[in-house]
Amino acid sequence: VSCRILIVEDNPANQLLAVAVLERDGFEVRIAESGPDALRAIGESRPDLVLMDIQLPEMDGLSLTRILKADPATATIPVVAMSAHAMVTDRDQAIASGCAGFIAKPIDTRVFADQLRGFLQQPAAAESAS
Ligand code: MN
């Protein structure tokens, strides 16, 4: 079963790198460049995981995460935040906003796919246990 990842990222170089790494690993990848773009994409096709850049135009990634977490239709989709500013406060804010995890940019291409797979397994394990 191929997992569908929505990458919310406005930087073209970061988009290309993440897509290349994840497609090589068998993920199905879609890109959104902004918050409104992401909400449209999620409405059309529910992803298994959202990779969320924190610094975005129009609406920042954590505001967008809070919108997704407040809506029962999207609340269970794991959101993993990405930021170049990997300060402890950024990580804390991401978790407080409802993110399942936090990945510092630049991504480590050797472990990136495994990092995301870890976040995908958590909700599946919880469902089978209940
Ligand atoms: Mn950005």
Side-chain angles (χ1 to χ4, degrees):
V1 179
S2 106
C3 285
R4 290 173 308 154
I5 310 268
L6 177 68
I7 302 177
V8 189
E9 167 68 77
D10 59 314
N11 179 291
N14 290 342
Q15 289 172 359
L16 280 176
L17 181 61
V19 168
V21 171
L22 294 179
E23 285 188 342
R24 185 190 64 195
D25 229 80
F27 290 95
E28 222 178 276
V29 184
R30 185 166 177 182
I31 290 182
E33 312 222 340
S34 69
D37 196 15
L39 290 171
R40 254 190 313 274
I42 292 167
E44 284 168 20
S45 165
R46 183 192 161 90
D48 297 307
L49 183 146
V50 176
L51 196 56
M52 183 76 79
D53 180 27
I54 292 180
Q55 284 84 33
L56 292 169
E58 298 180 68
M59 180 194 300
D60 72 85
L62 296 185
S63 298
L64 178 56
T65 300
R66 286 191 288 269
I67 289 171
L68 295 176
K69 292 297 156 183
D71 182 344
T74 53
T76 58
I77 302 171
V79 177
V80 178
M82 284 187 300
S83 175
H85 305 283
M87 310 286 289
V88 173
T89 51
D90 289 326
R91 191 176 297 264
D92 289 348
Q93 279 176 7
I95 301 304
S97 300
C99 292
F102 182 95
I103 293 175
K105 291 197 284 191
I107 60 168
D108 182 340
T109 56
R110 296 163 301 175
V111 297
F112 187 56
D114 281 338
Q115 286 176 309
L116 293 192
R117 218 171 268 114
F119 293 114
L120 282 164
Q121 282 163 358
Q122 287 169 1
E127 272 165 32
S128 66
S130 63

